[in-house]
Amino acid sequence: MAIHRNTISKMNKQFAKDVKLGLSETPKNLSSKYFYDEKGSTLFSEIMKLPEYYLTNAEFDIFKNQPLDIIQLLEIHKTSYFELIELGAGDGSKTIELLKVLEHENYHYQYLPIDISQKALDQIENTVAQQLPNKKITPKKGDYFQILNELKNSPFPKVVLFLGSNIGNMEDALANSFLKKLSKNLSKGDKIILGTDLKKEKDIVLPAYNDSKGITRDFNLNLLERINRELDANFDINQFEHVPEYDELEGIAKSRIRSKIDQKIPINSLNLTVSFKEKETIHTEISRKYDDVILEKICTNTGLKTIGKLMDKREYFADYIL
Ligand code: AVI
């Protein structure tokens, strides 16, 4: 229990530090990793069900309709045992489609979803228990790299899943160092399945980040509400708006929060008052869209190479096999 409380206060301290720094910089910024408190995670689950948010269905389409192609590209043999490790498994709805085929085809493997949220791990355990009642899984709670490091000593080949275009929330340099770190924790011949949203027309991408029900707006503005809740601040979210944009050429969707008026907001736990000019923005998220060139760029000097690419029917999304 003591450890749990310490962990919470450590996280809160980091949040406080990052908010203080981000809101003191020009332009103001807050990390999208802080979207996912309890309310934010619920909102994100709702986003994934929205008709405009095509990403989830597109990747589901790949796992539902091409599981045998995925397995073939992974070059795994039925006789040898392997570990299927998923980073940030979500509700597991895509992966379960792969697991069903692996079971049906009698492959020998262990499924190890890794997440920092116990709730997410419970959810995936439930999904597997319902759909594959005989399959025992090994959920691991904690930091991706710490757990991958612990798993490195096992003698079995590994397949790491990093789906959902989560890599897209990293700037290219960060995505490159993430893949470098990931690759250092793997051995020669291990594979990665990397889910990426592909570059496409603005008319398709922008509505995914600006849905008609306003759920993405609430998701973005929840960052200010989180600061109110956790750092005793006084943001009136009606005085701020959600500003999404997508640059087709660059292939990056960006979300910002914009102040509607000149205003000063006290953040009591930080002993800080933040001033906003009318129309001043806080950068909150990037969602990078990929093509083969950008994929190659983020794989530079990582020791990884692309051995396959699977796309959904509409070619909106790709799972690269590295
Ligand atoms: C989690 N991540 C891949 C989502 C995305 O599409 O960038 C987060 C998100 N932000 C707004 N809507 C969804």
Side-chain angles (χ1 to χ4, degrees), residues 19 23-24 28 235 263-267 272-276:
V19 168
L23 293 184
S24 310
K28 293 181 171 60
F235 284 100
Q263 52 185 324
K264 286 192 193 320
I265 312 293
I267 306 180
L272 179 77
T273 298
V274 186
S275 300
F276 289 88

Side-chain angles (χ1 to χ4, degrees), residues 36 44 47 53 55 164-166 169 208-209 216 219 285 287 289:
Y36 304 92
F44 184 55
I47 289 174
Y53 195 75
L55 290 79
S165 189
N166 285 323
N169 296 129
Y209 296 92
T216 312
F219 177 67
E285 183 181 50
S287 298
K289 308 302 165 196

